Amino acid sequence: MSGDTLAALAVALGASWASGLNPYAAVLVMGGAQMLGLVSLPHDLQVLGSPWVLAAGAVLFALNFLADKIPLVDSLNDVLHTFVRIPAGALLAFGAADQLGPEVATIAGLIGGTLAAGSHIAKTGTRALINSSPEPFSNIAASFTEDSLVIGGLILALAHPITFLCLLALFVGTLIWLLPKLVRLALMPFRRLARWRQEP
């Protein structure tokens, strides 16, 4: 596998994984790096460096940043973002791999959507568990940690694709092992809502 193929694969999977946590941070990191000339993204993703795209990403990032720091609001935010993070992960993966051919791009899109769903479930389940504590500081710490992971992970994917892919494989293996527990945790807000509706 050539270096260019590995780089495209790392960008595709990195963008998908990051989108499951925070798609707006993913857009800002990759688009900012493209605009500053630090990297040359795959052709279909170079639009992320547009000032208009970056401005929209910055506004959405700011709104998500605030919602993500408030207990219970963050869980509602996660539920609503199910319809944003997973499709965004699939689209970014497709765009990153499109230069490798339509078949590879389609497969990348399918894998990207699945990977975004996995990191989204991990985030949602972890937040549901954290929200069982009444104090707000753990939510704030978790949110900053997730944003840092997205930024650091994407920088690693762009600069050192092989290292990133190895760490991503470790993440996927751990996620598969934890998936049943994370799904139960992710469903906790719905169970709480159902109980509240049943109370007189």
Side-chain angles (χ1 to χ4, degrees), residues 121-143:
I121 290 171
K123 172 184 171 66
T124 304
T126 303
R127 284 308 188 85
L129 178 61
I130 290 173
N131 278 332
S132 62
S133 171
E135 47 77 30
F137 303 107
S138 53
N139 297 73
I140 295 172
S143 181

Side-chain angles (χ1 to χ4, degrees), residues 34-51:
Q34 171 70 32
M35 186 182 69
L36 296 173
L38 300 176
V39 297
S40 179
L41 292 175
H43 182 267
D44 287 357
L45 293 187
Q46 291 183 3
V47 68
L48 298 180
S50 160

Side-chain angles (χ1 to χ4, degrees), residues 5-26:
T5 303
L6 272 175
L9 181 62
V11 170
L13 298 182
S16 302
W17 162 80
S19 292
L21 298 173
N22 190 330
Y24 314 120

Side-chain angles (χ1 to χ4, degrees), residues 30 49 59 72 81 88 91 103 107 192:
M30 294 192 299
V59 171
L72 298 181
H81 269 85
L91 286 172
E103 295 88 355
I107 293 170
R192 289 175 182 165

